[in-house]
Amino acid sequence: MTLDSIPLHSMRNLLRLALAVGGVALGQPGFSAEPARPPNILFAIADDWSAHAGAYGTKWVKTPAFDRVAGAGLLFHHAYTPNAKCAPSRACILTGRNPWQLKAAANHLCYFPPEFKTWAEALAEHGWFVGHTQKGWAPGTATNAAGAPREMTGKAFNRRKATPPASGISNNDYAANFEDFLDAAPPNTPWCFWYGAVEPHRGYEFGSGVAKGGKKLTDLDRVPGYWPDHETVRHDMLDYAFEVEHFDRHLGRMLASLEQRGWLDNTLVIVTSDHGMPFPRIKGNAYDFANRVPLAIMWKNGIVRPGRVVDDFVSFIDLAPTLIEVAGLRWASTGMAESPGRSLTGIFRSTKSGLVEAGRDHVLIGKERTDIGRPHDWGYPTRGIVRNGWLYLRNFEPARWPAGNPETGYLDCDGGATKTFILEAHRKNPADTHWALCFGPRPAEELYHLRDDPDCLRNLAGSADAAALLRSLTNTLFRELKQQDDPRMSGHGEVFDQYPHANPAHVGFHERFLRGEKLNAGWVNQSDFEPRPSSPGRQDGGSPVR
């Protein structure tokens, strides 16, 4: 698509956005009086990165490229994914819909429903040059109604390779593949590139953060209260940090390339992660560190007063409306399903820091089957709301194991040094509190005051003092879920358990494993499997959980 071929209604939308920006930005440095044109889009997404960055005050993770984007644009303190697992989180990003609105795509490793178009597909249909490197929407199977593979995030650019700095890191030379994409982009055609790293996803080279990253165990100012403060855990955290920094280095090379080509000023750069770090009680869960993600956005020609810090609550479902608007398209022309998200362009145009837009005071979160390993391939369904410093969770099936059944290796938690350490400690001491927090049964309702208890260790759901607040949060959560036609609200939540897992080799994992079938669960360690079946009502064969 050349500029001359942009539809009239699209150009009007762009001009409307440009005039709104120009109106408040008049006389401010960095803004051009040139006619509006669609910005290019660089969407950079890490794999399993919590909000650990220099811009957020983290000392043990060095992220100069992310910090540059934040300093030259916007830094969001309350950005959330609706679902803290790879495939459903990315589905929310790409469609602008919450997981409970996405049928099978609410689940990890699903058959993605053909009816839900992505913004990358919509841009390509409107003449954009769209591509990605490494991980786009994944894992799972995405085909159109005719059964042909879909390009959910555009054409793949993965040819360039480089020697990785550690054994757990991909050999994909992300930045070089971005160069190939830029070289292939037709002149005068807007482009969109999805930089999908697979870091800091596990596995890690144990000790690499210290041995290769030059870090020290004492660099960590704290270990979350749900893990033991042990050198094994500290090493694991620093190995994670080393991989985050690998993602950031490639981002820095991409920014430098755009700058050298003179394209950076009119490129909308979005940097985030699909969900929190791949550790017990985070990835695949619904606590604050699971769903709260890093988010920085830079666009010199489109963001007023760069360097602002935004405290509004924003959700991944807001990104699709934002991208469609800045592309100059009408949502109705895209063929995408309706989105409850709100475009972030009002925040781009504002001069305010802190709380910018009224109404952005909460987000909804939730999960269904975030992995297999429970009987009948069941999930652990949860819905939640984060509002004004509080997190409320409703667990619809508390009789199930939250991290997957022990006898099948707690498959809803990736294997790694921290997981192994906690499981071994629990075998020595069945009353171990870290195991109970990370892997033990949970009640139907949970309520946490995030300002006083960011680790979500003290459940206040049973407190009489919090009863009115709990009712208010529940009412808001359920009202909005009903408005969004969540099957859980109409008594049909079992539909999520009935959608098939997309890897036939793992369908019916629990039953097949207990029958003695040899199954490969490569994302956990063999030592994660407990020797005998157990019930969440009984932690270790002893007294029932109270």
Side-chain angles (χ1 to χ4, degrees):
M1 177 178 71
T2 65
L3 292 179
D4 292 338
S5 67
I6 297 176
L8 180 59
H9 64 76
S10 298
M11 185 58 75
R12 284 173 177 163
N13 287 345
L14 283 166
L15 289 170
R16 194 175 299 118
L17 176 61
L19 288 171
V21 170
V24 289
L26 191 61
Q28 294 195 31
F31 281 85
S32 170
E34 297 177 1
R37 60 153 288 172
N40 300 312
I41 298 168
L42 172 59
F43 191 93
I45 180 168
D47 202 2
D48 303 4
W49 174 31
S50 291
H52 297 126
Y56 290 118
T58 308
K59 304 299 184 184
W60 48 279
V61 183
K62 307 300 182 185
T63 54
F66 178 86
D67 301 346
R68 177 186 179 183
V69 173
L74 302 170
L75 179 68
F76 292 81
H77 273 189
H78 299 290
Y80 285 81
T81 173
N83 187 305
K85 198 75 172 195
C86 301
S89 174
R90 291 160 188 257
C92 296
I93 291 172
L94 287 163
T95 65
R97 291 171 71 83
N98 280 310
W100 47 85
Q101 298 179 296
L102 288 171
K103 298 184 178 180
N107 290 339
H108 187 61
L109 233 164
C110 72
Y111 293 100
F112 197 97
E115 67 200 81
F116 297 119
K117 185 184 292 186
T118 72
W119 49 258
E121 292 173 309
L123 292 181
E125 289 176 358
H126 283 79
W128 285 59
F129 185 63
V130 183
H132 78 277
T133 191
Q134 197 71 40
K135 187 171 182 177
W137 174 81
T141 299
T143 59
N144 61 24
R150 294 169 61 180
E151 292 187 337
M152 302 279 279
T153 50
K155 179 182 177 183
F157 287 79
N158 293 317
R159 184 175 63 87
R160 302 291 193 95
K161 306 297 179 185
T163 302
S167 60
I169 292 176
S170 170
N171 68 349
N172 185 313
D173 192 336
Y174 304 121
N177 285 313
F178 179 53
E179 293 281 358
D180 286 351
F181 168 83
L182 294 179
D183 290 342
N188 298 316
T189 299
W191 53 257
C192 173
F193 188 78
W194 174 290
Y195 162 33
V198 290
E199 290 79 31
H201 195 291
R202 292 187 184 272
Y204 302 153
E205 180 181 316
F206 186 77
S208 57
V210 171
K212 297 182 175 180
K215 300 181 181 298
K216 303 185 295 295
L217 298 184
T218 54
D219 290 343
L220 290 156
D221 54 341
R222 67 184 291 268
V223 173
Y226 36 80
W227 306 328
D229 189 349
H230 186 272
E231 65 176 22
T232 297
V233 177
R234 286 180 171 253
H235 268 296
D236 206 18
M237 294 175 68
L238 293 180
D239 296 346
Y240 151 86
F242 185 58
E243 294 214 357
V244 171
E245 292 170 359
H246 180 77
F247 163 82
D248 191 78
R249 279 192 296 274
H250 279 268
L251 174 64
R253 288 171 57 191
M254 293 178 186
L255 297 177
S257 176
L258 290 173
E259 199 164 35
Q260 291 165 5
R261 293 171 184 254
W263 295 352
L264 185 59
D265 289 359
N266 200 42
T267 298
L268 172 64
V269 181
I270 300 176
V271 189
T272 189
S273 169
D274 52 1
H275 51 72
M277 60 200 298
F279 282 67
R281 201 176 163 89
I282 298 186
K283 179 179 178 179
N285 287 267
Y287 298 110
D288 197 55
F289 285 127
N291 291 75
R292 186 161 54 85
V293 293
L295 179 63
I297 301 178
M298 177 174 72
W299 178 18
K300 186 175 182 181
N301 288 356
I303 290 178
V304 177
R305 271 200 59 218
R308 288 181 286 135
V309 175
V310 178
D311 290 329
D312 297 46
F313 282 77
V314 300
S315 170
F316 273 172
I317 63 171
D318 298 329
L319 295 177
T322 304
L323 294 172
I324 293 300
E325 181 180 349
V326 300
L329 302 177
R330 292 182 294 110
W331 190 272
S333 72
T334 65
M336 297 176 66
E338 184 180 354
S339 169
R342 297 172 56 192
S343 172
L344 299 175
T345 55
I347 296 176
F348 294 179
R349 296 190 295 261
S350 176
T351 61
K352 295 170 60 178
S353 297
L355 297 174
V356 178
E357 291 191 328
R360 291 190 184 270
D361 63 348
H362 70 281
V363 292
L364 303 188
I365 59 176
K367 62 191 293 283
E368 286 293 337
R369 183 172 65 226
T370 45
D371 228 315
I372 53 171
R374 301 179 189 86
H376 314 294
D377 293 336
W378 285 337
Y380 190 82
T382 299
R383 300 290 185 271
I385 182 171
V386 187
R387 188 178 73 184
N388 295 332
W390 291 88
L391 168 65
Y392 169 73
L393 299 176
R394 172 66 65 90
N395 299 315
F396 290 96
E397 298 288 352
R400 300 177 186 176
W401 287 101
N405 280 48
E407 64 272 18
T408 46
Y410 307 94
L411 293 182
D412 214 345
C413 176
D414 293 354
T418 298
K419 178 182 180 181
T420 296
F421 187 88
I422 293 172
L423 293 182
E424 289 178 349
H426 174 246
R427 289 162 190 150
K428 296 173 184 176
N429 174 21
D432 180 69
T433 57
H434 298 113
W435 178 90
L437 288 167
C438 294
F439 301 105
R442 294 170 185 168
E445 293 188 296
E446 300 179 71
L447 179 67
Y448 300 100
H449 190 202
L450 298 176
R451 292 169 188 158
D452 296 338
D453 181 23
D455 292 347
C456 301
L457 302 178
R458 297 183 295 278
N459 183 8
L460 303 177
S463 167
D465 292 340
L469 172 65
L470 189 147
R471 283 195 301 272
S472 174
L473 292 172
T474 303
N475 290 340
T476 300
L477 172 64
F478 283 12
R479 182 180 67 252
E480 294 190 17
L481 292 174
K482 289 175 182 176
Q483 291 170 350
Q484 296 176 20
D485 295 323
D486 182 353
R488 288 275 166 204
M489 296 296 99
S490 58
H492 298 97
E494 72 281 355
V495 66
F496 295 110
D497 288 330
Q498 295 167 359
Y499 290 122
H501 187 69
N503 183 351
H506 289 155
V507 171
F509 189 101
H510 184 269
E511 289 76 18
R512 292 163 62 190
F513 182 84
L514 293 190
R515 288 198 301 265
E517 190 173 340
K518 301 299 182 183
L519 299 171
N520 178 24
W523 64 99
V524 298
N525 298 328
Q526 191 59 41
S527 62
D528 294 349
F529 291 76
E530 301 293 1
R532 58 190 173 85
S534 51
S535 162
R538 302 172 72 85
Q539 291 188 17
D540 62 334
S543 301
V545 177
R546 302 294 184 188

